[in-house]
Structures are given as C-alpha cells and as structure tokens.
Amino acid sequence: MNAANQTIYALSSGSLPAGVAVIRISGKQAMAAVESLVGSVPAPRHAVLKTIRTRNGLILDRGLVLTFAGPASFTGEDCAEIHVHGGKAVVASLLAEIATFEDCRLAEHGEFSRRALENGKMDLVEVEGLADLISAETEMQRRLAMEHAAGGLSDLYENWADRLTRARALIEAELDFADEDDVPGSVSDLVWADMERLHSELATHLSGADFGEIVRDGLRIVIAGPPNAGKSSLLNALAKREVAIVTDIAGTTRDVLHVDLNIEGYAVRLYDTAGLRETDEIVEREGIRRALKTVADADMVLSLAEIGEPAQTDFVGFTGKVFKLGTKADVHGTAPGDYDLLISSTSGAGLKELHQLIIKDLQDRSSSLSLALPSRLRHRVLLTESLGALSAAIESESLGLDIRAEQLRLSANSLGRITGRVDVEDLLDVIFSEFCIGK
Ligand SMILES: Nc1nc2c(ncn2[C@@H]2O[C@H](COP(=O)(O)OP(=O)(O)OP(=O)(O)O)[C@@H](O)[C@H]2O)c(=O)[nH]1
C-alpha cells in the first residue's frame, strides 16, 4: 500500500517517563486498531476508560480511549487517541502491538499535520503556526504562533487574494464587452482605486515582517566595545549566571557567546563579543572579525565603554540602533559623558533601566497591536513578490488591460503560495521536517 494511504501512529506527548502518554493513530485502520486493543470502538468524541490488551490477551495497561471519525478530526481521517500511563515499557509495548496491525506504520516528522494540510483541515500558514506554537518558549512567541495557527494571517491573505481575483474578473469583463455599446461606464476606476488601497494595506503589512521575525526568532542584541569594558560581566549579569569568563586581562573573550533571555515575554538572544582593538595577535584578530560580523547581523547593539571613555557609535555594516552604555558606575559614580545609560554589572545599577530600554525598543518596532504579522522569510519573499506584481499592475497604465490583469493574477498567486492554495509541493518536505514526530 502506498505510504500516504497507510495508517500512521506515534507517541504524541512528551518525553518519558511521564504521568500520562498519548498515542495517536490516524488512517483507515485506526478504528480497527482500537477495536483490537480494547475490544470495541467507543462512540466518537467520548472518552472511555478501557483495558488495553494485546491480541493474545495480555493486559498492557488501562487508559482512556478517544476516537474521532473522519473527516471531523485533526487529520481529516479516522483518528484515535489512547491515553496510557507514561512509562517507557508501557508505551513501548503498546507501540509494538500497534506495529503488528495491517498497514500501520510509525508516523514521520509532522505527518499528522501534513495529512491535515492535504485533507484541507489547515492551510500552510496555520500549519507553520502550529509548529511555532509547539516550539514557543516565550509569551510573545506563543501569541504570534496562536494568531497564525488560528487562521488570523490566512484570513487576511485569502481576503486579499479574493480582492485581486474580483478585480481581475471585472477587468476581464470589461475587455469582453469593450466593443459593445451598452457597457455602462468603465469599471476600471473603481478597480484601480481598490487596488491602490490594497497596495497600501499590503505594504503596511510587509513592513511588520521585521517585527514578526524578531518576535518569532528573538531580538538579536550584541554587546560590543573595547577590551575590559565589562561586556562579559554584563552578559553574565543579564543571564544571572556565569556564562562567560570574566578576568581583568584585556582580550579575555575571543569567540562569540550567546544566551537566550526572556524579557517580558519577548525572546532575546544576547551576544558577547571579543573586545574591539587594533591587534596583530592572530586568534584575537579572528575574534574581532567574528565580533564585527555578529554586530552587522544584529537588531540592536549595546556599545560599552568604561565611564570616561568614548563609546563607539558606528559599526561597519550595522544600520540599526546603537545604545551607548557607560560601565562600572559603582567605581566611577555618575560621571558625565555621552551615554544613553550608566550601568554597573557589579552592583546591578542601571540594569533595570536597560531592561526598560530594550522593552521600549521592542514596543517602538511593533507598529500595531495585532500579531497577524509575517514571521518567516518565506512570507516576506512571497509578500514582496505579490506587492511587486500589484505595483506593476497599478503603474503600467500604458500597457494593455490584459497585461495588467495578468499582473494581478501573479500577485494573487504569490499570496496563494503563502497559504498553500497555489502549488507548494516543493516546500512541504522542508516545512514538515521542522515538526516533531507525533504532530
Ligand atoms: N567595579 C566593576 N568592575 C567591573 C564591572 N564590570 C566588569 N568589571 C571588571 O572589569 C574587568 C573586565 O570585565 P569583563 O566583563 O571581562 O570585560 P570584557 O569587556 O568582556 O573584556 P574582554 O573579554 O577583554 O573584551 C573584570 O575584572 C571585571 O570584574 C563593574 O560593573 N564594576
């Protein structure tokens, strides 16, 4: 039997041992498997406590059994969930028993979700949202993922794609009737006015991609500055543990280190880098090269200098915000200088304010309260394509209506590729490889 028609099963809950483990089965044999394990098939959507046995009558465990008759199930197929005690041997013996059933095999990464997509239960953005929801570690990541998984973004794209299709239909109708005398005035004016509005909505939405990606992937903050400025000490103070080696020897940090922080629900990746100075020492030079590369890829730079010394403001290849922090305030006090903030990693002075500064920066980046934002490079690329085709349609007034209508079709197609409405077969393997088994 072809793999897509086989019944799949997997442990869908977390690592063992655990209080409860959930084994999920989906496909044509799901109900037969349940019948073999517990002697009957409970009514769909009713949890029933059952004794679970092998076909030879050996009791495996007692647990809850739930069935979902397709298409009203997560995957759209017949599905079952068996909740057993989360012992390793319990789960292993149950999985081994299911493996003996006809046409049943262990699911691959994300295969349940893939079937849900293929059976029209979810679109691609919702599937991605679900993957993000499972891996969300901070509150904002969870909210963004939830918005996507619940269809917030998909609704927007479907609505825009429909508007583009309607506009095209009106233009094509105008083309068809162009020679007839009884066509009431041109529809073009209405169509193009709406397309201009759509263009501005799309452009605003696309401008939220930076923030969406920051919420999903974390804000990248790089601590930079000369040797001994206190960079590693600040990393440790913010991480609240000794991640980086701190000494009074200038040039201690050589490689790039990072810690992941959760700052008021936002994921933040904080990097410590080698001290920036002129040097001939080969390892240190490589460290500085890596430091500057990390700065160039950052979202924000904390440029440290011991109070009294100037903080660097320009970094090659970095165009974002640089915050100048004067360090070791416990020694130097509040000596004047050109700094955004004075801090001491030793006393903790200024660290709360630094948190506030990071939060304020994040809030400034979020142009709206909605989290219906693009959050992946894939979204950004396709939205840019869609916007480009729409611009071309609007701007090429000198070209024929048929050419402009074709641009509208391309614009809608790019939106359709985001939700998976338009050919995305080539993408699916990549997207589902990110999933865990059992999802
Ligand atoms: N008094 C005081 N000393 C500090 C403070 N922060 C760092 N230091 C000291 O300054 C020295 C250098 O600190 P590091 O954190 O290693 O500095 P760095 O910028 O990472 O140095 P490199 O690795 O050489 O680039 C150490 O002796 C720290 O204990 C502070 O807030 N107050």
Side-chain angles (χ1 to χ4, degrees):
M1 183 180 261
N2 135 359
N5 289 327
Q6 283 182 311
T7 296
I8 52 173
Y9 64 92
L11 171 66
S12 284
S13 52
S15 64
L16 304 174
V20 176
V22 179
I23 283 119
R24 195 188 236 172
I25 312 174
S26 175
K28 291 194 177 74
Q29 297 298 324
M31 299 306 181
V34 168
E35 180 152 22
S36 174
L37 290 166
V38 302
S40 62
V41 180
R45 297 171 175 271
H46 284 85
V48 183
L49 183 64
K50 291 280 190 184
T51 300
I52 302 157
R53 292 187 168 85
T54 65
R55 66 182 82 208
N56 300 326
L58 179 72
I59 294 180
L60 294 174
D61 197 4
R62 263 169 78 73
L64 284 183
V65 179
L66 257 166
T67 61
F68 302 87
S73 70
F74 174 73
T75 58
E77 306 174 322
D78 281 351
C79 279
E81 279 181 17
I82 303 176
H83 300 219
V84 290
H85 294 103
K88 288 185 183 172
V90 175
V91 171
S93 61
L94 180 53
L95 292 177
E97 178 66 13
I98 300 172
T100 65
F101 298 151
E102 197 185 337
D103 283 332
C104 284
R105 66 168 169 81
L106 210 52
E108 289 170 13
H109 284 267
E111 200 171 1
F112 291 93
S113 304
R114 187 167 184 155
R115 289 190 175 187
L117 176 84
E118 282 163 358
N119 292 325
K121 303 295 289 187
M122 286 192 292
D123 70 24
L124 207 46
V125 178
E126 290 163 346
V127 163
E128 287 172 333
L130 196 58
D132 289 345
L133 192 60
I134 290 167
S135 53
E137 290 186 356
T138 72
E139 175 59 13
M140 294 306 288
Q141 286 175 327
R142 186 194 66 75
R143 285 194 208 173
L144 179 79
M146 197 59 230
E147 181 75 36
H148 292 192
L153 208 55
S154 309
D155 289 349
L156 199 61
Y157 297 155
E158 299 270 307
N159 175 290
W160 285 341
D162 287 349
R163 256 162 88 184
L164 286 161
T165 307
R166 266 202 312 278
R168 229 179 78 216
L170 286 170
I171 290 171
E172 274 161 17
E174 177 159 324
L175 282 172
D176 286 347
F177 293 111
D179 299 336
E180 298 179 18
D181 292 338
D182 58 350
V183 179
S186 161
V187 294
S188 278
D189 292 349
L190 287 175
V191 167
W192 295 117
D194 188 45
M195 289 302 96
E196 275 174 27
R197 275 195 300 276
L198 178 57
H199 185 275
S200 121
E201 287 167 41
L202 242 171
T204 306
H205 179 73
L206 184 56
S207 71
D210 283 346
F211 186 62
E213 286 168 25
I214 281 174
V215 172
R216 177 173 180 266
D217 303 329
L219 182 78
R220 285 161 306 173
I221 303 180
V222 177
I223 307 174
N228 264 348
K231 300 181 296 299
S232 303
S233 302
L234 177 61
L235 181 91
N236 291 348
L238 292 176
K240 299 197 175 78
R241 59 194 166 96
E242 299 298 305
V243 183
I245 301 169
V246 169
T247 72
D248 55 6
I249 304 164
T252 301
T253 304
R254 298 299 180 92
D255 218 334
V256 179
L257 288 177
H258 73 256
V259 288
D260 289 324
L261 306 177
N262 179 342
I263 298 189
E264 302 215 2
Y266 286 98
V268 169
R269 181 160 278 195
L270 185 67
Y271 294 88
D272 180 22
T273 55
L276 304 174
R277 65 171 168 185
E278 293 292 326
T279 175
D280 289 332
E281 211 268 300
I282 196 154
V283 179
E284 193 176 0
R285 265 203 0 220
E286 174 58 18
I288 291 170
R289 189 192 68 76
R290 290 181 189 196
L292 293 173
K293 164 126 193 7
T294 312
V295 166
D297 293 337
D299 298 309
M300 179 198 290
V301 171
L302 302 179
S303 175
L304 269 56
E306 194 164 334
I307 293 170
E309 300 293 324
Q312 186 171 340
T313 49
D314 292 328
F315 294 88
V316 178
F318 178 70
T319 51
K321 279 249 185 70
V322 176
F323 290 103
K324 293 168 285 174
L325 307 189
T327 62
K328 310 188 188 179
D330 55 305
V331 181
H332 301 291
T334 52
D338 181 18
Y339 308 110
D340 295 301
L341 196 63
L342 300 181
I343 60 160
S344 165
S345 302
T346 306
S347 72
L351 297 189
K352 218 189 260 166
E353 289 79 0
L354 180 55
H355 263 185
Q356 295 309 325
L357 191 140
I358 295 169
I359 291 293
K360 165 103 183 29
D361 177 81
L362 279 162
Q363 283 164 351
D364 290 348
R365 289 169 192 264
S366 58
S367 50
S368 77
L369 290 175
S370 160
L371 278 178
L373 296 171
S375 64
R376 291 170 185 252
L377 187 60
R378 190 182 82 79
H379 303 163
R380 183 198 286 270
V381 168
L382 290 167
L383 283 168
T384 306
E385 265 178 40
S386 176
L387 190 65
L390 182 55
S391 301
I394 293 171
E395 285 158 17
S396 47
E397 280 172 54
S398 56
L399 298 177
L401 271 183
D402 49 347
I403 294 176
R404 299 176 77 191
E406 172 60 11
Q407 293 294 348
L408 295 182
R409 191 185 67 78
L410 293 176
S411 179
N413 257 11
S414 298
L415 292 175
R417 281 179 64 85
I418 307 182
T419 57
R421 219 169 37 169
V422 175
D423 58 308
V424 287
E425 201 52 39
D426 49 331
L427 281 178
L428 296 185
D429 288 338
V430 179
I431 289 172
F432 286 103
S433 65
E434 285 179 22
F435 271 72
C436 48
I437 290 177
K439 189 61 223 161

